[in-house]
Amino acid sequence: MSKLGEEPIPSEVPEDHPRAHSLKIRHRITDGLDKKIVAKAGLIAHGRGEAFDYLIGEITTEPAKEAIEAACSALLLAKHPIISVNGNVAALTPHEIVELSNVSEAKLEINLFYRTKEREDALEKALRVAGAKEILGVGLKKIEIHDLSSKRRIIDPEGIAKADVVLVPLEDGDRTEALKRAGKKVIAIDLNPLSRTAQHADITIVDNLVRCIPLMKDEIIKLKSKSKKDLELILKKFDNKHNLSSMIELIGTRFLDLAKKGINIPGIKEL
Ligand code: PTJ
């Protein structure tokens, strides 16, 4: 038991607490901060994500499922797919991201906005513990994206530098735009459909990465039996602008319902 006044550790979140699941996930982030995996600003980013997750009802919506299918098709069609991992991703879904990397054959690259050697090592350790064999973006062999001033410009010559498709779960908008300028297809996972990342990516999955990464693994396994032509057709049919509009509309409709019927709607009644 933690002493009075101390932060409770995740196992001490009471199971009957109406927000137990959300609190446990939040503690993955605060534990990640203690282990130097998560940047301080990562706490704020997580809080923003939680707020948007409320708005969508804390479920993987139909438009998000369509985006997941398109994203997984793009990963399978890619010649050199890469999964970019930052602090929040490594803290929230270390095992799941390693599994996704294994099934999709997309390599993991550590790419940090607040890059320090200490954090680089902490993320590498977390991913190794989760079973990762190969991790790019660590050590000395790095190059830079020229038109990006943040430390996200530091990339691996064998990873993002070479990639044709990059999955960027939980991102800041600048790099998405820089990656696009460099001719790469960008898949974003972002709970905020209005963010610059969401708006600029080729495929945006508006979902919580905690739900989305395991679903992506299942989808990759399912799509692996499809032909190249089928995968190309899935991609061709997908329209990111339309998908984002559907998400924004879904939030609006949900709130109109809420205003009409009161707050007795799953996900909101627990507020
Ligand atoms: O680990 P570093 O150094 O690379 O730093 C990472 C942070 C998160 C600090 C950096 O990328 C950042 O500042 O991000 P932003 O600009 O705050 O954007 C984060 C976006 O992710 C916001 O639009 C949030 O809504 C969204 N988000 C937060 N948590 C989740 C999420 N999207 C999906 N799943 C989540 N769990």
Side-chain angles (χ1 to χ4, degrees):
M1 286 290 279
S2 60
K3 288 185 214 128
L4 203 64
E6 277 180 3
E7 279 289 300
I9 57 171
S11 58
E12 288 178 83
V13 173
E15 286 303 328
D16 60 349
H17 190 288
R19 304 284 309 156
H21 181 65
S22 176
L23 288 179
K24 283 184 187 173
I25 290 170
R26 189 182 282 182
H27 282 295
R28 289 188 208 163
I29 289 285
T30 51
D31 282 356
L33 182 75
D34 292 341
K35 291 179 185 152
K36 316 287 180 203
I37 296 169
V38 172
K40 282 184 193 161
L43 303 186
I44 298 165
H46 185 76
R48 188 191 291 173
E50 281 184 348
F52 275 99
D53 213 8
Y54 268 78
L55 302 188
I56 65 170
E58 295 176 319
I59 55 159
T60 303
T61 62
E62 284 310 312
K65 286 179 191 164
E66 280 168 29
I68 286 173
E69 190 190 37
C72 292
S73 301
L75 284 174
L76 286 173
L77 285 168
K79 285 197 175 65
H80 197 77
I82 292 288
I83 302 173
S84 181
V85 181
N86 70 5
N88 289 46
V89 177
L92 288 174
T93 53
H95 295 93
E96 296 83 349
I97 207 82
V98 171
E99 283 177 6
L100 178 63
S101 162
N102 289 341
V103 296
S104 64
E105 293 172 39
K107 290 181 183 170
L108 299 169
E109 174 166 342
I110 293 174
N111 181 278
L112 300 173
F113 189 83
Y114 300 101
R115 190 185 271 271
T116 61
K117 176 78 174 76
E118 191 182 36
R119 288 195 63 218
E120 203 180 293
D121 292 346
L123 264 90
E124 185 180 7
K125 189 174 164 201
L127 293 175
R128 293 243 182 258
V129 169
K133 300 272 181 291
E134 188 179 4
I135 302 168
L136 301 171
V138 289
L140 294 174
K141 231 175 90 201
K142 296 179 195 114
I143 57 170
E144 300 193 358
I145 303 176
H146 295 301
D147 56 351
L148 188 63
S149 46
S150 84
K151 287 201 174 170
R152 282 206 192 280
R153 71 182 182 275
I154 301 165
I155 54 171
D156 195 306
E158 294 306 313
I160 290 170
K162 265 193 190 172
D164 51 349
V165 176
V166 188
L167 171 65
V168 287
L170 212 160
E171 205 16 298
D172 56 294
D174 274 20
R175 188 171 64 126
T176 301
E177 290 168 57
L179 290 174
K180 291 272 301 170
R181 281 194 297 273
K184 297 169 196 303
K185 192 183 272 286
V186 178
I187 303 167
I189 303 172
D190 192 331
L191 277 159
N192 177 4
L194 304 171
S195 78
R196 284 195 19 242
T197 301
Q199 294 288 330
H200 283 98
D202 295 282
I203 301 171
T204 308
I205 307 167
V206 181
D207 196 17
N208 195 321
L209 67 96
V210 171
R211 290 189 298 270
C212 172
I213 303 286
L215 290 176
M216 286 183 80
K217 185 194 88 179
D218 295 344
E219 189 67 27
I220 291 274
I221 293 169
K222 197 178 112 193
L223 291 176
K224 267 187 169 173
S225 59
K226 299 237 179 228
S227 67
K228 188 169 176 247
K229 212 171 141 202
D230 286 345
L231 296 176
E232 282 167 351
L233 200 65
I234 292 171
L235 262 190
K236 205 171 156 210
K237 277 201 218 147
F238 182 78
D239 178 340
N240 206 43
K241 289 272 168 262
H242 180 262
N243 194 275
L244 285 169
S245 298
S246 303
M247 284 305 308
I248 295 164
E249 201 180 321
L250 186 145
I251 292 171
T253 310
R254 197 162 176 274
F255 269 66
L256 281 178
D257 275 0
L258 199 62
K260 282 188 204 136
K261 297 179 193 157
I263 60 162
N264 200 11
I265 296 177
I268 289 289
K269 65 175 186 238
E270 298 154 356
L271 275 170

